[in-house]
Amino acid sequence: MLAGNVSSYMHGLINRGIQRFVIDSYGEANWLAATRQAGIGFNDFEAMWTYDDAITPRVLEAVCDVLGRPYDELLEDIGTYIVSHSNVEALRRLLRFGGVTFVEFLHSLDDLPDRARLAVSDLEIPRLELMEDSAERYSLRCYSEMEGWGSLFMGVLRAMADDYGALAFLEHKGMQDGAETIEIALLEREYAAGREFELGARTA
């Protein structure tokens, strides 16, 4: 559940991603019901604005109530959505720039906050630290006062493994010393054909 001072993380892109996830997955009526329950006074987020730090937790909690979904499961589904859905293709491109294989992508996660700020100067995401326990086992630590980012990154990692065609087992190990830890067991590096990806934008 969200906790602590999260004002630096509440960029409109995050809120807009939550909005698109709920509408695309559960319909606009459920999104409108959640925003009414949250009492925020509006129902449409602008991607390039910033919002009061209290808004996002209220909206997420309202979405959980309206949909009857556990908080961590909802955040994991949002993480999967923001990588895999065509409405948010720009984020997938940002992540895929990290490497041509899933292992290279994992090793690029330490630099993801800096790459995110290059793309959107005032977008901040938690500090990430990847530890390589062996050639096939990794641990990703997510440092944030906002508990729940670990669940969101579980969804991101699951979707990115599929994107690269890798087979990975993920386990959320909870919060300790200010960080949520995700254990990653890479079962097969080339399990299936990955999704097509081009570094350069397509032109007509």
Side-chain angles (χ1 to χ4, degrees), residues 87-130:
N87 280 342
V88 280
E89 180 71 14
L91 180 56
R92 175 186 175 238
R93 294 185 61 79
L94 175 67
L95 294 169
R96 284 294 299 255
F97 280 139
V100 298
T101 68
F102 184 62
V103 171
E104 289 182 3
F105 159 74
L106 289 176
H107 283 287
S108 77
L109 288 173
D110 291 6
D111 300 324
L112 182 59
D114 291 334
R115 282 188 283 129
R117 282 190 293 272
L118 285 175
V120 181
S121 60
D122 54 350
L123 175 61
E124 294 189 30
I125 62 175
R127 179 167 67 91
L128 302 172
E129 181 183 14
L130 183 78

Side-chain angles (χ1 to χ4, degrees), residues 10-169:
M10 293 305 104
H11 194 280
L13 281 171
I14 296 171
N15 293 310
R16 182 71 177 179
I18 296 168
Q19 175 182 340
R20 291 309 319 169
F21 164 77
V22 176
I23 292 174
D24 290 338
S25 303
Y26 297 98
E28 188 171 10
N30 281 313
W31 171 249
L32 296 177
T35 55
R36 285 195 300 270
Q37 181 168 321
I40 60 176
F42 60 93
N43 52 47
D44 194 36
F45 285 103
E46 294 292 337
M48 300 312 295
W49 290 8
T50 55
Y51 293 86
D52 185 273
D53 61 353
I55 288 178
T56 305
R58 285 162 55 188
V59 169
L60 284 170
E61 288 164 4
V63 170
C64 287
D65 287 343
V66 168
L67 300 179
R69 297 288 311 279
Y71 202 88
D72 56 347
E73 290 182 10
L74 179 76
L75 285 172
E76 184 173 339
D77 285 352
I78 292 173
T80 299
Y81 169 88
I82 62 178
V83 172
S84 60
H85 200 282
S86 59
N87 280 342
V88 280
E89 180 71 14
L91 180 56
R92 175 186 175 238
R93 294 185 61 79
L94 175 67
L95 294 169
R96 284 294 299 255
F97 280 139
V100 298
T101 68
F102 184 62
V103 171
E104 289 182 3
F105 159 74
L106 289 176
H107 283 287
S108 77
L109 288 173
D110 291 6
D111 300 324
L112 182 59
D114 291 334
R115 282 188 283 129
R117 282 190 293 272
L118 285 175
V120 181
S121 60
D122 54 350
L123 175 61
E124 294 189 30
I125 62 175
R127 179 167 67 91
L128 302 172
E129 181 183 14
L130 183 78
M131 292 172 286
E132 185 173 356
D133 305 317
S134 71
E136 310 299 335
R137 300 189 70 88
Y138 304 83
S139 298
L140 180 67
R141 292 178 62 81
C142 177
Y143 293 88
S144 175
E145 293 180 351
M146 188 185 88
E147 187 176 350
W149 276 100
S151 295
L152 186 140
F153 273 104
M154 280 274 290
V156 169
L157 290 172
R158 200 178 305 282
M160 290 304 295
D162 289 343
D163 207 271
Y164 280 103
L167 180 63
F169 176 77

